Amino acid sequence: SYIKNMALSEICLAIKADPKEMDYLAMRADLYYYEQEYDKANVDFEKIIASNPGQVAGYMGIGRNLLAEKSYDAAIEKFNYAMKLDEEFSQPYAFRADCHIGKGDYLSAAQDLVRALDMDGNDRAFSTMMECNDTCYENIVVLMNIKATSGNGDTDWDYYLGVAHQQHNHFQEAILNYKKSLKNESHA
């Protein structure tokens, strides 16, 4: 479309004016990603990696492109590397969960989703948890119940369980978990 072409043109001018500014490359790579031009996006992400090999953005971007192309194992490798670079960053877990879902490995997906939620309430993990199939949901519920009963004072798990149950039409369980969440929140 005209607006996307204009945006690409402006970003390319910015890159030409300041080729060392990695934010411009990341913007162009993201634009290519949304246009499903993964090879072009990967070129920019590789430049980001070459500029700063210890920064996760390039690895996450390539992993996201591989995920979109359903190259799950290769994407998992990129997300694993991003996790090594930044152990406190939840996004690689959330994206890796999507890879595991694509491969039909719902237990690994559930483990990654719960890990991302545990780290910082990751939005992508939360959305994936709500949209996942019944097998993944069953694994998530088991893992979240363990977290909810661990006694560490975290009140989010009952809420997450309520949402998961509600999204899978298990309304009685959802209500019970929402009540627990409210009760625990009032005591926190």
Side-chain angles (χ1 to χ4, degrees), residues 106-170:
Y106 301 113
L107 177 57
S108 294
Q111 290 168 335
D112 278 351
L113 292 171
V114 169
R115 175 75 173 123
L117 288 169
D118 196 23
M119 292 174 83
D120 62 10
N122 183 283
D123 289 338
R124 182 181 185 88
F126 186 80
S127 296
T128 302
M129 172 196 73
M130 292 191 318
E131 298 168 2
C132 70
N133 69 23
D134 287 343
T135 305
C136 187
Y137 154 77
E138 291 166 4
N139 284 296
I140 288 170
V141 167
V142 168
L143 296 172
M144 287 196 299
N145 271 316
I146 292 168
K147 292 283 189 182
T149 58
S150 68
N152 69 358
D154 189 347
T155 61
D156 292 339
W157 294 110
D158 284 311
Y159 173 73
Y160 293 149
L161 280 161
V163 171
H165 289 311
Q166 181 180 349
Q167 290 300 118
H168 287 85
N169 299 322
H170 298 175

Side-chain angles (χ1 to χ4, degrees), residues 47-65:
K47 289 177 184 175
I48 292 168
I49 291 168
S51 169
N52 186 355
Q55 213 276 347
V56 300
Y59 301 100
M60 287 298 299
I62 293 172
R64 183 182 64 175
N65 292 340

Side-chain angles (χ1 to χ4, degrees), residues 15 25 28-29 32 40-49:
I15 291 169
L25 280 175
R28 185 171 69 182
Y32 286 141
K40 290 180 180 179
N42 285 343
V43 168
D44 285 344
F45 286 127
E46 289 291 350
K47 289 177 184 175
I48 292 168
I49 291 168

Side-chain angles (χ1 to χ4, degrees), residues 33 38 60-76 79 94-102 124:
Y33 167 79
Y38 306 120
M60 287 298 299
I62 293 172
R64 183 182 64 175
N65 292 340
L66 291 165
L67 171 60
E69 294 174 317
K70 299 182 184 336
S71 296
Y72 301 122
D73 290 328
I76 287 170
F79 298 136
F95 277 94
R96 191 173 71 176
D98 286 332
C99 295
H100 291 308
I101 289 169
R124 182 181 185 88

